[in-house]
Structures are given as structure tokens and as C-alpha cells.
Coordinates of all heavy atoms in Angstrom, one line a residue:
D1053 N -131.6 -260.6 146.2 CA -132.8 -261.4 146.1 C -133.6 -261.5 147.4 O -134.5 -262.3 147.5 CB -132.2 -262.8 145.8 CG -131.7 -262.9 144.3 OD1 -132.1 -262.1 143.4 OD2 -130.6 -263.6 144.2
G1054 N -133.2 -260.7 148.3 CA -134.0 -260.6 149.6 C -133.6 -261.7 150.6 O -134.3 -261.8 151.5
R1055 N -132.4 -262.2 150.4 CA -132.0 -263.3 151.4 C -131.2 -262.5 152.4 O -130.2 -261.8 152.1 CB -131.2 -264.3 150.7 CG -132.1 -265.3 149.8 CD -131.2 -266.2 149.0 NE -130.3 -265.6 148.1 CZ -129.7 -266.1 147.1 NH1 -130.0 -267.4 146.7 NH2 -128.9 -265.4 146.3
F1056 N -131.3 -262.9 153.8 CA -130.6 -262.3 154.9 C -129.3 -263.1 155.1 O -129.3 -264.2 155.0 CB -131.4 -262.2 156.1 CG -130.7 -261.7 157.3 CD1 -130.6 -260.5 157.5 CD2 -130.2 -262.7 158.3 CE1 -129.9 -259.9 158.6 CE2 -129.5 -262.2 159.4 CZ -129.3 -260.8 159.6
G1057 N -128.3 -262.4 155.3 CA -126.9 -263.0 155.6 C -126.2 -262.2 156.6 O -126.5 -261.0 156.9
S1058 N -125.3 -262.8 157.4 CA -124.7 -262.2 158.4 C -123.3 -262.9 158.7 O -123.2 -264.0 158.5 CB -125.5 -262.3 159.8 OG -124.7 -261.8 161.0
S1059 N -122.3 -262.0 159.0 CA -120.9 -262.5 159.3 C -121.0 -263.2 160.7 O -119.9 -263.7 161.1 CB -119.9 -261.5 159.1 OG -120.1 -260.4 160.0
L1060 N -122.0 -262.9 161.5 CA -122.0 -263.3 162.9 C -123.2 -264.2 163.1 O -124.4 -263.8 162.9 CB -122.2 -262.1 163.8 CG -121.0 -261.0 163.7 CD1 -121.4 -259.8 164.6 CD2 -119.7 -261.6 164.1
G1061 N -122.9 -265.5 163.5 CA -124.0 -266.4 163.7 C -124.8 -266.2 165.1 O -125.8 -266.8 165.3
N1062 N -124.2 -265.4 165.9 CA -124.7 -265.3 167.2 C -125.5 -264.1 167.4 O -125.0 -262.9 167.0 CB -123.5 -265.2 168.3 CG -124.0 -265.1 169.8 OD1 -124.8 -264.2 170.0 ND2 -123.5 -266.0 170.5
R1063 N -126.8 -264.1 167.7 CA -127.7 -262.9 167.7 C -127.2 -261.8 168.7 O -127.4 -260.7 168.5 CB -129.1 -263.3 168.0 CG -129.8 -264.1 166.9 CD -131.3 -264.0 167.1 NE -131.7 -264.7 168.3 CZ -132.1 -266.0 168.3 NH1 -132.0 -266.8 167.2 NH2 -132.4 -266.6 169.4
R1064 N -126.7 -262.3 169.8 CA -126.2 -261.4 170.8 C -125.0 -260.5 170.2 O -124.9 -259.2 170.4 CB -125.7 -261.9 172.1 CG -125.0 -261.0 173.1 CD -124.8 -261.7 174.4 NE -124.2 -260.6 175.4 CZ -124.9 -259.7 176.0 NH1 -126.1 -259.5 175.9 NH2 -124.2 -258.9 176.8
K1065 N -124.2 -261.1 169.4 CA -123.0 -260.4 168.8 C -123.4 -259.4 167.8 O -123.0 -258.3 167.6 CB -122.0 -261.4 168.1 CG -121.2 -262.1 169.2 CD -120.2 -263.1 168.5 CE -119.4 -263.9 169.4 NZ -118.4 -264.9 168.8
R1066 N -124.6 -259.7 167.0 CA -125.2 -258.8 166.1 C -125.6 -257.6 166.7 O -125.5 -256.5 166.4 CB -126.3 -259.6 165.4 CG -125.9 -260.6 164.5 CD -127.0 -261.4 163.8 NE -126.7 -262.7 163.2 CZ -127.5 -263.6 162.7 NH1 -128.8 -263.4 162.7 NH2 -127.0 -264.6 162.2
F1067 N -126.3 -257.8 168.0 CA -126.8 -256.7 168.8 C -125.6 -255.8 169.1 O -125.9 -254.6 169.0 CB -127.6 -257.2 169.9 CG -127.7 -256.2 171.1 CD1 -128.6 -255.1 170.8 CD2 -127.1 -256.3 172.2 CE1 -128.9 -254.1 171.9 CE2 -127.0 -255.3 173.2 CZ -128.1 -254.2 173.0
L1068 N -124.7 -256.4 169.6 CA -123.6 -255.5 170.2 C -122.8 -254.8 169.0 O -122.4 -253.7 169.2 CB -122.5 -256.5 170.8 CG -123.0 -257.2 172.2 CD1 -121.9 -258.1 172.6 CD2 -123.2 -256.1 173.2
R1069 N -122.9 -255.4 167.9 CA -122.3 -254.7 166.7 C -123.3 -253.5 166.3 O -122.8 -252.5 166.0 CB -122.2 -255.6 165.5 CG -121.8 -255.0 164.3 CD -120.5 -254.3 164.3 NE -120.1 -253.6 163.0 CZ -120.7 -252.5 162.6 NH1 -121.4 -251.7 163.3 NH2 -120.2 -252.0 161.4
S1070 N -124.5 -253.7 166.4 CA -125.5 -252.7 166.0 C -125.4 -251.4 166.9 O -125.5 -250.3 166.6 CB -126.9 -253.2 166.1 OG -127.1 -254.2 165.2
V1071 N -125.2 -251.7 168.3 CA -125.1 -250.6 169.3 C -123.7 -250.4 169.7 O -123.3 -249.9 170.8 CB -126.0 -250.9 170.5 CG1 -127.4 -251.0 170.1 CG2 -125.5 -252.2 171.2
G1072 N -122.7 -250.6 168.8 CA -121.3 -250.5 169.1 C -120.9 -249.1 169.5 O -119.8 -248.9 170.1
R1073 N -121.7 -248.0 169.2 CA -121.3 -246.7 169.5 C -121.5 -246.4 170.9 O -121.1 -245.3 171.5 CB -122.3 -245.7 168.8 CG -121.6 -245.3 167.4 CD -120.7 -244.2 167.5 NE -119.7 -244.1 166.4 CZ -118.9 -243.2 166.2 NH1 -118.8 -242.2 167.2 NH2 -118.1 -243.2 165.3
V1074 N -121.9 -247.2 171.8 CA -122.1 -247.1 173.3 C -120.8 -246.9 173.9 O -120.5 -246.3 174.9 CB -123.0 -248.1 174.0 CG1 -124.3 -248.0 173.5 CG2 -122.3 -249.5 173.8
T1075 N -119.7 -247.5 173.3 CA -118.4 -247.4 173.9 C -117.8 -246.0 173.8 O -117.3 -245.3 174.8 CB -117.4 -248.3 173.2 OG1 -117.9 -249.8 173.3 CG2 -115.9 -248.3 173.7
V1076 N -117.9 -245.3 172.6 CA -117.6 -244.0 172.5 C -118.5 -243.1 173.4 O -118.1 -242.1 174.0 CB -117.6 -243.5 171.1 CG1 -117.4 -242.0 171.0 CG2 -116.7 -244.3 170.1
G1077 N -119.7 -243.6 173.5 CA -120.6 -242.9 174.4 C -120.1 -242.8 175.8 O -120.3 -241.9 176.5
K1078 N -119.5 -244.0 176.3 CA -119.0 -244.1 177.7 C -117.8 -243.0 177.7 O -117.7 -242.3 178.8 CB -118.4 -245.4 178.0 CG -119.6 -246.5 178.1 CD -118.9 -247.9 178.4 CE -120.0 -248.9 178.8 NZ -120.8 -249.2 177.7
L1079 N -117.0 -242.8 176.8 CA -116.0 -241.7 176.8 C -116.6 -240.5 176.8 O -116.0 -239.5 177.5 CB -115.0 -241.9 175.5 CG -114.2 -243.2 175.4 CD1 -113.7 -243.4 174.1 CD2 -113.1 -243.1 176.4
C1080 N -117.7 -240.2 176.1 CA -118.3 -238.9 176.2 C -118.9 -238.6 177.4 O -118.8 -237.5 178.1 CB -119.5 -238.9 175.1 SG -118.8 -238.9 173.4
M1081 N -119.6 -239.6 178.1 CA -120.2 -239.4 179.4 C -119.2 -239.1 180.6 O -119.4 -238.3 181.3 CB -121.1 -240.5 179.8 CG -122.3 -240.8 178.9 SD -123.5 -239.3 179.2 CE -123.1 -238.4 177.5
S1082 N -118.1 -239.9 180.5 CA -117.1 -239.6 181.4 C -116.5 -238.3 181.3 O -116.1 -237.5 182.3 CB -116.1 -240.8 181.5 OG -115.6 -241.1 180.2

């Protein structure tokens, strides 16, 4: 129905979840 929902109420946590691949990226860069 076009309603937005999230399991995380904190916008910063949503951001960190969105870009979660940076942790594996750190392993790749090192």
C-alpha cells in the first residue's frame, strides 16, 4: 500500500545497515 516501515527506528542505524559492506571492504583493502 506504499507505507514505509523499518525494523530500526534510528536513521543512523539504517544508514549503517545500508552500507554494511564497508566492513568486508576493510578486509579487502588491508
Side-chain angles (χ1 to χ4, degrees):
D1053 296 320
R1055 289 174 299 202
F1056 176 80
S1058 173
S1059 61
L1060 302 173
N1062 186 306
R1063 287 197 297 267
R1064 179 172 176 79
K1065 290 181 180 179
R1066 295 174 191 173
F1067 162 74
L1068 294 174
R1069 171 62 179 83
S1070 294
V1071 299
R1073 271 277 158 172
V1074 297
T1075 298
V1076 177
K1078 290 180 175 67
L1079 289 167
C1080 292
M1081 289 299 100
S1082 51

